[in-house]
Amino acid sequence: MTENAKAIASPFSFKPYVEIEGEEYMNEAQLKHFETILNNWKSELMKEVDRTVHHMQDDAANFPDPNDRATQESEFSLELRTRDRERRLIKKIDDSLKEIESGDYGFCESCGIDIGIRRLEARPTASLCIDCKTLDEIREKQMG
């Protein structure tokens, strides 16, 4: 997996939240934990955007050879597609941060049950519980 793919695939390392028996789901400590994860992830993605801009500015050249030009354009196109995916991910991160502020974070937007600490650590932008996500994917397969 490339470094860029790692940045997209998951937030970088963090210390897993240790649940205390009997604690309320999405209490202040848990919300702070996820807010930190989301902000760190967003920060890393923004650094990638800056690196891409500098890379494209520094490496842009007008090659006389059409093959060299095509190779460069292909590389830039791939980078821009990756950045576009990251831009959409940043929007999801921002949406998750708004949900933390509103008190809706961590609950399935479809059925309202707890998404779960471990699922959210694996995918902090998850908005569906595992059951609803599974049903959503089955429907998607059947439709398309």
Side-chain angles (χ1 to χ4, degrees):
M1 185 182 286
T2 67
E3 223 173 282
N4 285 343
K6 286 179 192 173
I8 294 171
S10 67
F12 50 95
S13 65
F14 58 88
K15 185 177 176 190
Y17 184 81
V18 179
E19 294 179 71
I20 301 168
E21 190 175 333
E23 78 178 318
E24 184 180 343
Y25 180 70
M26 284 300 130
N27 60 42
E28 192 175 322
Q30 291 172 3
L31 290 173
K32 183 69 178 154
H33 173 72
F34 288 108
E35 184 177 29
T36 301
I37 290 171
L38 289 162
N39 281 321
N40 288 343
W41 195 9
K42 182 179 176 180
S43 175
E44 287 298 310
L45 290 169
M46 295 303 288
K47 287 177 189 172
E48 281 298 313
V49 169
D50 290 343
R51 276 192 280 262
T52 297
V53 169
H54 294 300
H55 167 72
M56 291 180 83
Q57 287 172 341
D58 295 344
D59 289 357
N62 193 4
F63 294 109
D65 181 43
N67 290 327
D68 290 340
R69 265 196 317 270
T71 299
Q72 182 184 47
E73 287 175 15
S74 178
E75 288 172 2
F76 283 178
S77 177
L78 179 62
E79 270 193 72
L80 290 173
R81 280 197 312 267
T82 301
R83 293 297 91 74
D84 187 53
R85 281 198 327 267
E86 289 175 347
R87 180 189 54 77
R88 289 192 304 266
L89 180 54
I90 289 169
K91 170 139 179 31
K92 284 183 176 183
I93 291 169
D94 286 339
D95 291 345
S96 295
L97 289 168
K98 286 177 189 168
E99 286 180 2
I100 287 174
E101 286 178 27
S102 70
D104 294 330
Y105 184 77
F107 298 94
C108 179
E109 68 182 23
S110 180
C111 70
I113 68 166
D114 302 353
I115 292 175
I117 301 292
R118 297 300 162 240
R119 174 160 166 68
L120 288 169
E121 285 181 335
R123 191 67 179 171
T125 58
S127 59
L128 297 173
C129 68
I130 195 69
D131 292 336
C132 289
K133 182 63 176 172
T134 301
L135 288 172
D136 194 45
E137 289 174 356
I138 290 170
R139 272 192 293 270
E140 193 176 298
K141 272 185 183 177
Q142 290 175 345
M143 295 298 210

